[in-house]
Each structure stands twice: as C-alpha cells, then as structure tokens.
C-alpha cells in the first residue's frame, strides 16, 4: 500500500496515475480539501498525516522545500510502519537530501530522494524524467516501482545528493533559458517583429541543437580559435540594448551579460571566443 503526501498539481496527478494502475493509495495534504478531492479517484484521504502513512510500505512526498519535507515527515513519524521506504520527489537542497538520508536511516527507515523533471501532465501519463542516486542496492529494489511513474528513471550513481544537485542545475538552466526568451521577446517588440515570426525562425534554426557543441567549446579550455569573437559578441550585445532603449523596452538579462563581457575584454580577451566568459566557473 502507498501513501502520498502533498496534493499539489504534481502530487495529485501522481496519485491519479497510481489509482489507474489499481494501486491502493492513502493521501494527505495540508489543505485537507485537496486530499479529499482525490477520493473521487479512489484514493483514501486523511486529515492527519500520521494516519495517512499508517500501514504504507511506500511513502511518497512532494511538497515545497526542505523545511516542508522535514516538518511533514516529522509529523508522519508516529504512523510510519517499521521498514517503510520514503520517496521524496521534492526539489530540495543537496545538503538537505544528504542529511535526510542519514537521519532517516538512523531512525530505522529508508529515505530516497527522487526529484523529477516532470509537470502535472507528465505525472498523469507517466512521462518525463525522475532522478535517483545513492545506495545502488536500494535503487535496484525501487526501480521496478518507480520506473512506471515516469518516462525515464535516471540512475546517477552511488553519490548521495547527486540527484538533488543535478535537479537544481537543470532547473537553473530552465530559469535562465526562460529569462533569455523574455529578453528575446522584448527585443522583438522593440524591433516590431511579431513573436510568431520569432517562433517560426526557431523552428527552422533551432539554437538548442548547438548545446552539445557549445558545452564542448566552453569546457575545452582553448578559446584561441573563435567561432565568434568576444569583441563582436559584445558589439551585437550593445545593439540589442541600443534598440531596446530606443523603443523604451527594458531588457533584464542582457545588461548583466554585457558587464561580464566588458570585464573579460578589459583583461585582454576580446579577440578570443566569446564563450570564455563562462570559463571562470570551470576553474
């Protein structure tokens, strides 16, 4: 029997998917009505978290952050049966995941951090990615149970906390990617280019296809054979800001990047590949 704690959009769809597979699921949420709503799908809702986990072999949790995970699990402890396995899908700090793995082991329970790159639709249909790392014997035991919940279960090795770290890194990329698109749309507005035209361009010329090559160039350590000189990239960055300023459209990310470019140019790297601006993070 499974208990699921946290009935937000992700958690509730995980529960619906589990119920469609015929699993018995007990649910809890801080706002009790959200858990109660899952009874229409055959889940059993409880107002007290300790009651929700009672009798469960597996306890899944997906809440806001480290503090919420610690609080909810502490309140659940009186109801946990010996040997229960806790699977935490919350995006948390690396340190928190490591500490909880050890703390719950000391209490006689198993804790596995399994964050996801999944939206609510993915949770419902069993697609997307779930990350795990740590005790490989535990992961081998859990893989048949977790794999059906996701499109791909990624085993990242035996280092506890690696899954938490790569989840944060992935989310950082998503944040910067979206922020970059926001500036892209802002420049399009300044230049009176419809967003549809931008989307059409990216359908034909997809910058995401260059990501492996970009990573290789950035991490190679040799910036002396530029495909785009830093001076030229900075010139274009100046044009972005000039066009946006003339149209009264703010850019949020590009000005900060321009400052970093200026710092590297001042150090004499203007004729090198522009990806040198990321080299400091690789040292």
């Amino acid at each position: 029997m499974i208990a699921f704690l946290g009935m937000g959009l992700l958690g509730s769809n995980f529960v619906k998917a589990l119920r469609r597979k015929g699993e018995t699921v007990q649910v809890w949420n801080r706002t009790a009505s959200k858990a109660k709503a899952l009874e229409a799908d055959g889940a059993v809702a409880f107002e007290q978290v300790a009651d929700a986990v009672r009798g469960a072999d597996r306890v899944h949790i997906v809440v806001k952050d480290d503090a919420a995970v610690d609080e909810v699990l502490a309140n659940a402890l009186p109801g946990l049966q010996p040997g229960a396995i806790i699977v935490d899908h919350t995006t948390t700090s690396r340190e928190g995941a490591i500490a909880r793995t050890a703390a719950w082991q000391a209490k006689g329970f198993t804790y596995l951090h399994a964050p996801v790159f999944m939206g609510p639709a993915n949770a419902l249909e069993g697609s997307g990615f779930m990350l795990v790392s740590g005790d490989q014997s535990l992961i081998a035991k859990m893989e048949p149970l977790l794999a059906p919940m996701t499109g791909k279960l990624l085993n990242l090795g035996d280092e506890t906390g690696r899954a938490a770290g790569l989840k944060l890194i992935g989310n950082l990329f998503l944040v910067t990617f979206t922020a970059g698109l926001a500036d892209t749309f802002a420049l399009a507005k300044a230049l009176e280019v419809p967003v549809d035209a931008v989307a059409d361009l990216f359908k034909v010329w997809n910058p995401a296809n260059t990501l492996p090559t970009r990573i290789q160039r950035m991490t190679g350590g040799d910036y002396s054979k530029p495909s785009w000189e830093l001076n030229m990239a900075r010139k274009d960055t100046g044009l972005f800001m000039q066009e946006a300023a003339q149209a009264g459209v703010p850019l949020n990310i590009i000005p900060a990047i321009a400052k970093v470019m200026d710092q590297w140019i001042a150090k004499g790297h203007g004729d090198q590949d522009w990806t040198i601006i990321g080299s400091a993070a690789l040292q």
Side-chain angles (χ1 to χ4, degrees):
M1 194 262 287
I2 300 170
F4 218 110
L5 313 177
M7 293 298 100
L9 294 175
L10 195 64
S12 60
N13 274 4
F14 268 134
V15 169
K16 290 176 183 178
L18 289 168
R19 284 295 305 136
R20 289 177 181 179
K21 294 180 175 72
E23 299 281 3
T24 300
V25 188
Q26 298 183 168
V27 297
W28 171 89
N29 193 73
R30 194 182 302 274
T31 303
S33 60
K34 291 185 177 181
K36 191 74 173 175
L38 271 299
E39 290 189 336
D41 296 276
V44 182
F46 291 85
E47 292 190 3
Q48 302 300 320
V49 66
D51 294 331
V53 302
R54 194 162 279 115
D57 303 307
R58 237 161 80 210
V59 177
H60 293 258
I61 180 170
V62 54
V63 289
K64 181 182 179 182
D65 53 22
D66 287 274
V69 173
D70 289 337
E71 178 187 353
V72 171
L73 290 181
N75 291 334
L77 179 57
L80 287 173
Q81 70 176 22
I85 297 174
I86 301 165
V87 184
D88 183 8
H89 303 294
T90 309
T91 300
T92 70
S93 67
R94 175 177 172 271
E95 292 78 8
I98 293 171
R100 275 185 290 277
T101 301
W104 283 96
Q105 183 178 26
K107 291 181 175 74
F109 302 95
T110 300
Y111 171 93
L112 177 65
H113 192 223
V116 299
F117 291 120
M118 298 169 68
N122 300 118
L124 187 61
E125 66 189 16
S127 60
F129 297 85
M130 185 179 294
L131 317 180
V132 291
S133 67
D135 184 341
Q136 291 298 293
S137 62
L138 171 63
I139 290 172
K141 175 183 176 180
M142 294 300 295
E143 183 174 2
L145 303 174
L146 297 180
M149 297 177 64
T150 183
K152 181 70 174 179
L153 183 68
L154 299 178
N155 183 350
L156 303 171
D158 59 6
E159 182 181 329
T160 302
R162 176 60 61 88
L166 282 170
K167 167 61 175 174
L168 291 176
I169 290 166
N171 277 11
L172 181 146
F173 185 86
L174 291 176
V175 169
T176 54
F177 182 73
T178 301
L181 277 177
D183 270 13
T184 299
F185 295 149
L187 181 59
K189 180 180 180 180
L191 295 170
E192 300 180 348
V193 175
V195 171
D196 288 349
V198 177
D200 288 341
L201 171 64
F202 290 160
K203 287 177 184 176
V204 179
W205 171 67
N206 186 351
N209 291 334
T210 69
L211 185 58
T213 303
R214 184 62 47 83
I215 291 174
Q216 184 178 21
R217 179 175 286 275
M218 290 183 71
T219 58
D222 182 4
Y223 307 98
S224 64
K225 301 178 180 64
S227 62
W228 194 17
E229 286 188 1
L230 177 56
N231 282 328
M232 297 302 292
R234 179 61 180 90
K235 181 267 295 182
D236 287 359
T237 302
L239 288 173
F240 308 156
M241 294 189 291
Q242 175 184 314
E243 295 283 0
Q246 288 175 350
V249 176
L251 296 177
N252 296 313
I253 305 300
I254 290 298
I257 295 173
K259 290 181 180 179
V260 175
M261 288 178 166
D262 288 340
Q263 291 169 2
W264 282 96
I265 290 171
K267 289 188 287 188
H269 299 284
D271 61 349
Q272 294 187 300
D273 192 87
W274 79 287
T275 57
I276 197 172
I277 66 173
S279 63
L282 301 169
Q283 296 174 358

